[in-house]
Amino acid sequence: MKNHLFKMLPVATLALTFLISCGLMTRAESDVQMDTYTLSDGTSCFLVPLQANSVQSTADYVDIAVLVDVSAAQMAKEVRQCGQQTVESLLENLPQNARVQLFTVDNETESLTGGFVAVDSQEMKDAIEALKDNTPLGASNLEKALETAANSFDLLENSDRSIVYVGRGISSASVFDVMTFNEIVENLVCDHISVHTFGNGTATNLEVLGALSNQTGGYVVDPAVKNGKVAGLLLAQATKATVFWPNEIVENIFSEETLLYPNPLPPIRSDRETYLIGKTTDDLKKFTISLSATQGNESKNLKWNVFPSKSNSRNQYLYQLVDSASKDNGKTLPIAGRILLNEMQAAIFDATENTLALTQTAIEVGDTENAKRLAELVEAKMPGEKFSMNLANQLNSQDDEQAITDQSTIIEPEVIEEPVAVEPEVIE
């Protein structure tokens, strides 16, 4: 994980109580299956997908701050057109009570509408023309853009608030490290502002976009989508989805030794999954998650019956996912929904397979030193697993064979016999 992202609020609203139920449980519409993977030492890693049903919003307005990257990195004609089409499609598919403020983002963040306006207003039409006439220049300051957009909302109004970002997710004009990420996310979550993102341009930073949307209860457009009209439609739909903002920290599910990430839990959406991951040495049993969360101005009670699945080799990636989350309490996990989770799973598998292949090659060519170094990396990724042990056995076997070979080629030291003493000839 690159060191680009923000922070999860220390006091996120999230009252989460985990009740363990060991008996029979009546299945309900909120049943979910927990993915699991058990290591050879008995430790189980798990992932619980949480998603809530949509409810009718009681907000008077849907307020959206739209950030469009117009830095020099967006110079390519097709990239600019895609960004413009995304904005136009977004506006066409928003509800009637939507109000939008359109910003351009480079070194500075400039409002093209001068405030929140109706999507069909003359101010918005003029702003769209100004966006089309804009010449991409300079670098992108993502930190300033997000702060400007967050500060543009009137928090006293009864509105659903979100930010839509269209760009690469790269802040080349400012340092955008984990500390900066955390501070921005904390403020966004505190004010109940979700961030929806569309990676537009070359070399987009999906880690930043994914972590930002994950922690703020936002939506990430599928990276495979390159059509601005489709992206705009998906972003518009995201602004209409229901977001539940948890009220307290997560309580332990099994024993106190159970590790849970992220903690606090990110917001729960109605249109994608939010993931709770962790590991435990306890036996995996059925349990119930009861969650009190805020939606709009109301408190809602959510409930899931969780059924652990059997350990499966396809879930081996969970060990590395949990290990990564343990470094920062899961705050920078870029897994906003199943598509991004699958992306991360594939990346972990590919990296492990590549390391295994390099290790095997090193063993076959007799490069023991590099083979051992690579085998240690595999062991760190998947401790105690069969392929790790197989590598260790091959290396030990290679060491034994080398020792035998070394013994068979020992050069015996040359033995120099003492010369036979010759008695001096006696001449009479």
Side-chain angles (χ1 to χ4, degrees):
M1 172 74 61
K2 295 188 179 82
N3 198 27
H4 300 329
L5 306 139
F6 353 172
K7 160 185 173 186
M8 181 59 180
L9 74 167
V11 186
T13 58
L14 196 166
L16 189 59
T17 306
F18 288 92
L19 305 174
I20 307 303
S21 174
C22 302
L24 292 176
M25 184 175 296
T26 302
R27 285 190 172 271
E29 60 183 7
S30 56
D31 292 348
V32 297
Q33 180 172 290
M34 179 172 72
D35 292 342
T36 69
Y37 181 66
T38 303
L39 283 74
S40 56
D41 65 358
T43 300
S44 293
C45 299
F46 57 84
L47 177 144
V48 183
L50 302 175
Q51 188 170 346
N53 293 328
S54 177
V55 298
Q56 183 67 40
S57 174
T58 58
D60 296 327
Y61 301 103
V62 176
D63 287 342
I64 306 158
V66 180
L67 300 170
V68 182
D69 186 354
V70 295
S71 64
Q74 304 288 303
M75 181 64 73
K77 181 180 179 180
E78 61 274 15
V79 174
R80 297 200 310 274
Q81 288 180 340
C82 183
Q84 295 162 10
Q85 289 175 352
T86 300
V87 174
E88 291 175 323
S89 177
L90 168 68
L91 297 176
E92 290 171 0
N93 292 283
L94 288 175
Q96 291 184 345
N97 64 338
R99 300 184 302 185
V100 179
Q101 183 164 190
L102 180 60
F103 296 90
T104 54
V105 178
D106 47 31
N107 291 295
E108 303 295 332
T109 301
E110 179 185 357
S111 174
L112 299 183
T113 54
F116 287 91
V117 299
V119 296
D120 58 353
S121 65
Q122 186 60 47
E123 291 90 343
M124 181 56 70
K125 293 176 182 177
D126 293 341
I128 293 297
E129 291 304 314
L131 177 63
K132 292 179 179 179
D133 292 338
N134 185 280
T135 301
L137 293 172
S140 177
N141 190 327
L142 186 55
E143 176 186 0
K144 180 179 290 187
L146 291 168
E147 289 178 345
T148 301
N151 292 332
S152 69
F153 294 100
D154 184 347
L155 301 181
L156 297 180
E157 289 194 332
N158 180 27
S159 63
D160 292 333
R161 297 177 290 273
S162 60
I163 295 172
V164 169
Y165 171 81
V166 180
R168 297 195 304 152
I170 295 175
S171 187
S172 52
S174 65
V175 176
F176 197 63
D177 55 16
V178 172
M179 181 177 295
T180 303
F181 174 88
N182 288 340
E183 291 173 354
I184 293 176
V185 165
E186 177 179 341
N187 293 330
L188 290 169
V189 174
C190 184
D191 294 335
H192 291 186
I193 302 172
S194 296
V195 181
H196 313 301
T197 60
F198 171 48
N200 181 40
T202 58
T204 57
N205 193 328
L206 195 58
E207 291 178 341
V208 170
L209 301 180
L212 178 58
S213 294
N214 185 46
Q215 287 294 334
T216 62
Y219 178 87
V220 180
V221 174
D222 185 342
V225 173
K226 303 301 179 184
N227 184 294
K229 292 183 178 181
V230 175
L233 172 61
L234 294 173
L235 291 169
Q237 292 174 344
T239 66
K240 304 173 189 177
T242 306
V243 183
F244 298 88
W245 304 84
N247 294 320
E248 291 181 24
I249 62 172
V250 179
E251 299 294 338
N252 284 322
I253 316 184
F254 303 107
S255 65
E256 293 183 357
E257 289 72 28
T258 299
L259 300 177
L260 298 174
Y261 309 105
N263 191 7
L265 188 69
I268 310 295
R269 291 183 62 85
S270 62
D271 60 350
R272 70 160 174 84
E273 297 169 335
T274 296
Y275 301 107
L276 177 68
I277 65 174
K279 68 178 179 179
T280 184
T281 56
D282 297 335
D283 292 336
L284 300 179
K285 303 175 182 178
K286 303 173 185 177
F287 59 91
T288 298
I289 297 177
S290 297
L291 166 64
S292 172
T294 299
Q295 192 280 316
N297 296 322
E298 301 178 358
S299 179
K300 303 287 185 179
N301 293 317
L302 306 176
K303 183 177 179 180
W304 297 269
N305 299 320
V306 183
F307 297 82
S309 63
K310 292 183 178 180
S311 177
N312 192 303
S313 60
R314 72 171 182 269
N315 296 328
Q316 287 178 343
Y317 79 100
L318 289 177
Y319 175 81
Q320 292 184 57
L321 191 66
V322 172
D323 182 64
S324 176
S326 69
K327 295 176 173 58
D328 62 1
N329 197 26
K331 294 177 181 178
T332 57
L333 285 176
I335 50 175
R338 181 64 61 171
I339 291 174
L340 295 193
L341 179 66
N342 290 342
E343 291 263 346
M344 194 163 190
Q345 179 182 10
I348 290 174
F349 274 134
D350 288 346
T352 303
E353 287 294 324
N354 289 340
T355 306
L356 281 169
L358 290 172
T359 307
Q360 193 63 50
T361 299
I363 292 174
E364 291 173 357
V365 301
D367 187 355
T368 305
E369 182 177 348
N370 277 323
K372 287 182 177 180
R373 178 179 61 82
L374 292 168
E376 288 174 358
L377 291 177
V378 175
E379 178 67 19
K381 294 176 185 294
M382 293 291 172
E385 296 313 288
K386 290 183 178 180
F387 46 77
S388 299
M389 292 186 287
N390 287 341
L391 288 175
N393 291 336
Q394 289 184 61
L395 285 169
N396 291 335
S397 175
Q398 192 177 69
D399 288 342
D400 293 341
E401 291 176 2
Q402 185 63 44
I404 294 172
T405 301
D406 290 344
Q407 291 176 11
S408 64
T409 57
I410 291 177
I411 300 176
E412 295 292 334
E414 182 180 358
V415 178
I416 302 177
E417 298 181 354
E418 294 184 3
V420 178
V422 179
E423 291 294 332
E425 182 180 356
V426 179
I427 300 176
E428 295 181 352

